[in-house]
Amino acid sequence: MRILLIEDDQKLCEALRFQLEKEHHQIEICHDGRDGLDLFLQDAYDLVLLDRMLPTMNGLLVLQKARKAGIATPVLMITALGELYDRVEGLDNGADDYLIKPFAYEELSARIRSLGRRSGAWEPHDTFSFGDITYAGDLRELSGPGGSLLLSGREGRLLEVFLQNPNTVLRRMVILSRVWGADAEVEEGNLDTYIHFLRKRLRQVKSLLYLKTIRGIGYSLEDSHVF
């Protein structure tokens, strides 16, 4: 899973990074509320671990603003504020789960797995290959000539759609339906954002594949080796 950790305790962050990376998660860390909100709003993560007491903007306000912007990424609040009122307030404002400090890492790990199952982030997938890349859907790992990296759930689903239909022009509405769901209320601009993310991932693994824009229609995954 791609996890965003918004927490100002740097020692805790490094301890969690070590443990989570051992479990093959990809972690991005932010120590500040406002900067954390900017990352949250990118909608590029499978899970957000959110502290409640943060500099510049408290975690509850970060959560409120993200939910108001339509970001549905699961959120696990981790905080020292453990009174019943605090837990209810966090859940009522959009948190999916609430973990009180101090906590055992084993409990955090179990809650992450639970949220991953609920959101579909850990659904089993096949392995796909095309051109110079391989994508292992169960791990959400993209491999190419320049190495490997993990994709977010949404990036992975988008890549799978293209890998199932290489060298094929896919219409925008078809892609939106397959990646977000036929009944999902999603702005078309979200697709452009994730196309940008996916192009970046392909560059990072030094792939020669490219996502070609078919103006006014959609996109096609093509191999620059083929002419």
Side-chain angles (χ1 to χ4, degrees):
M1 296 177 73
R2 292 192 68 199
I3 298 175
L4 173 61
L5 172 59
I6 309 176
E7 164 66 65
D8 63 336
D9 184 334
Q10 298 192 21
K11 288 185 178 179
L12 176 60
C13 285
E14 291 310 311
L16 291 180
R17 183 202 294 275
F18 175 77
Q19 294 288 349
L20 291 166
E21 288 183 345
K22 281 176 58 178
E23 295 187 0
H24 307 292
H25 299 295
Q26 183 175 335
I27 314 300
E28 187 159 356
I29 294 174
C30 181
H31 304 298
D32 175 271
R34 291 189 185 278
D35 291 342
L37 177 61
D38 290 340
L39 292 170
F40 198 164
L41 293 176
Q42 291 181 14
D43 197 18
Y45 304 93
D46 299 306
L47 176 68
V48 176
L49 302 179
L50 178 63
D51 186 20
R52 185 157 173 169
M53 308 276 293
L54 291 167
T56 72
M57 181 183 294
N58 71 68
L60 200 61
L61 186 55
V62 170
L63 179 57
Q64 289 171 345
K65 288 181 176 293
R67 294 300 190 229
K68 187 175 181 180
I71 307 300
T73 305
V75 172
L76 171 56
M77 295 202 82
I78 48 176
T79 176
L81 299 176
E83 297 297 326
L84 176 61
Y85 169 79
D86 298 314
R87 299 196 302 274
V88 170
E89 187 178 32
L91 294 168
D92 280 347
N93 280 277
D96 296 273
D97 202 352
Y98 203 100
L99 185 60
I100 300 168
K101 299 176 183 177
F103 53 82
Y105 177 75
E106 291 79 6
E107 182 177 4
L108 173 66
S109 181
R111 289 174 184 257
I112 288 173
R113 291 194 297 273
S114 175
L115 289 171
R117 288 191 296 269
R118 279 190 242 164
S119 66
W122 282 0
E123 291 177 355
H125 298 271
D126 295 324
T127 297
F128 303 89
S129 296
F130 175 58
D132 56 7
I133 68 167
T134 298
Y135 177 65
D138 56 340
L139 300 175
R140 294 205 312 282
E141 183 179 58
L142 171 63
S143 301
S148 301
L149 53 80
L150 298 181
L151 303 186
S152 72
R154 192 82 69 189
E155 289 171 341
R157 287 190 288 276
L158 180 60
L159 181 59
E160 285 185 16
V161 170
F162 284 114
L163 290 174
Q164 290 168 339
N165 303 273
N167 295 314
T168 302
V169 178
L170 296 176
R171 294 183 175 275
R172 294 177 63 90
M173 292 309 297
V174 170
I175 300 171
L176 285 166
S177 176
R178 292 187 184 180
V179 176
W180 277 268
D183 300 321
E185 295 183 5
V186 56
E187 296 182 4
E188 285 199 42
N190 286 4
L191 174 56
D192 300 318
T193 298
Y194 276 92
I195 291 291
H196 169 76
F197 289 155
L198 201 51
R199 284 171 171 158
K200 180 179 179 181
R201 306 303 175 213
L202 291 171
R203 291 195 300 270
Q204 287 176 320
V205 299
K206 301 188 184 305
S207 173
L208 293 176
L209 298 183
Y210 65 101
L211 283 166
K212 182 178 181 180
T213 300
I214 312 300
R215 192 172 300 278
I217 300 176
Y219 299 94
S220 174
L221 179 65
E222 302 186 2
D223 189 342
S224 61
H225 279 123
V226 179
F227 296 94

